Each structure stands twice: as structure tokens, then as C-alpha cells.
Amino acid sequence: METPANAELADRKDVHYDCPNGHVLTFPFSTEADVPLSWECSCGALALLRDGDRSEIKDQKVQRSHWDMLLERRSIPELEELLDERLELLRAGRIG
Ligand SMILES: [Zn+2]
């Protein structure tokens, strides 16, 4: 049984099964449904439940750091330039 709180967040979730022959099966399951661990692919092979889809998305959100947001606004060359400027200032300060 899912908690009521979970059911309110999302009624359905996409569940993926990876077939050993490279097929990916996707089904929308109710969050309250018992998701089978495997599914017979149309090619006859047994596709296995891909676990952690939700946690992956969650992790990406969590791991979205200041650095990621900085990268969206500035390219690497720009960042390197900024770093160089900082280093120049540091060196200048020490020498001065
Ligand atoms: Zn298959």
C-alpha cells in the first residue's frame, strides 16, 4: 500500500522494462499498483524492471548545484577567464 501522500503527488508513473535484446517497454502504472518485476517483451524475451527511475530524477534535482546553474549561464571559457582574472588579482595582491 502506498501512502496517501504519495498518491496525491502523482497518480501514475512511467515504468520502464529493459529487454535483453535492447527493447525498452514503457507502461504507465498507477502509483498504487503493484508493479511486476519483469514483463514479457514482444520479442519473447523477459524484460526486467528498470529500477530507480524516480530516484534518478530526484537525484538530478538534488545534485543540481550552484555549479550547474553557473554553467547554464556561463560557458567554460568564460569561467576560465573569470578564474584567470581572480588569479591575476591574487598574484598582484601578493606581489604588491
Ligand atoms: Zn525484446
Side-chain angles (χ1 to χ4, degrees):
M1 290 286 281
E2 297 279 279
T3 64
N6 259 352
E8 278 170 26
L9 279 175
D11 296 330
R12 286 178 180 233
K13 58 181 175 180
D14 282 341
V15 176
H16 303 281
Y17 292 90
D18 291 312
C19 167
N21 294 325
H23 309 122
V24 177
L25 315 176
T26 304
F27 305 105
F29 272 93
S30 160
T31 51
E32 292 179 9
D34 282 333
V35 178
L37 292 174
S38 60
W39 198 279
E40 193 180 334
C41 182
S42 56
C43 72
L46 198 63
L48 295 178
L49 174 67
R50 187 193 299 171
D51 203 12
D53 270 0
R54 295 178 110 199
S55 63
E56 260 177 42
I57 293 166
K58 210 174 174 184
D59 282 349
Q60 276 171 10
K61 276 180 188 165
V62 169
Q63 283 168 9
R64 210 179 128 77
S65 61
H66 291 296
W67 174 248
D68 291 323
M69 291 193 272
L70 200 65
L71 277 180
E72 277 175 15
R73 268 178 263 153
R74 295 179 187 277
S75 66
I76 290 287
E78 276 178 326
L79 287 172
E80 281 175 348
E81 203 173 300
L82 278 175
L83 189 65
D84 276 348
E85 276 176 24
R86 281 294 171 101
L87 286 174
E88 292 275 339
L89 286 174
L90 265 179
R91 288 195 195 108
R94 273 184 194 173
I95 293 164

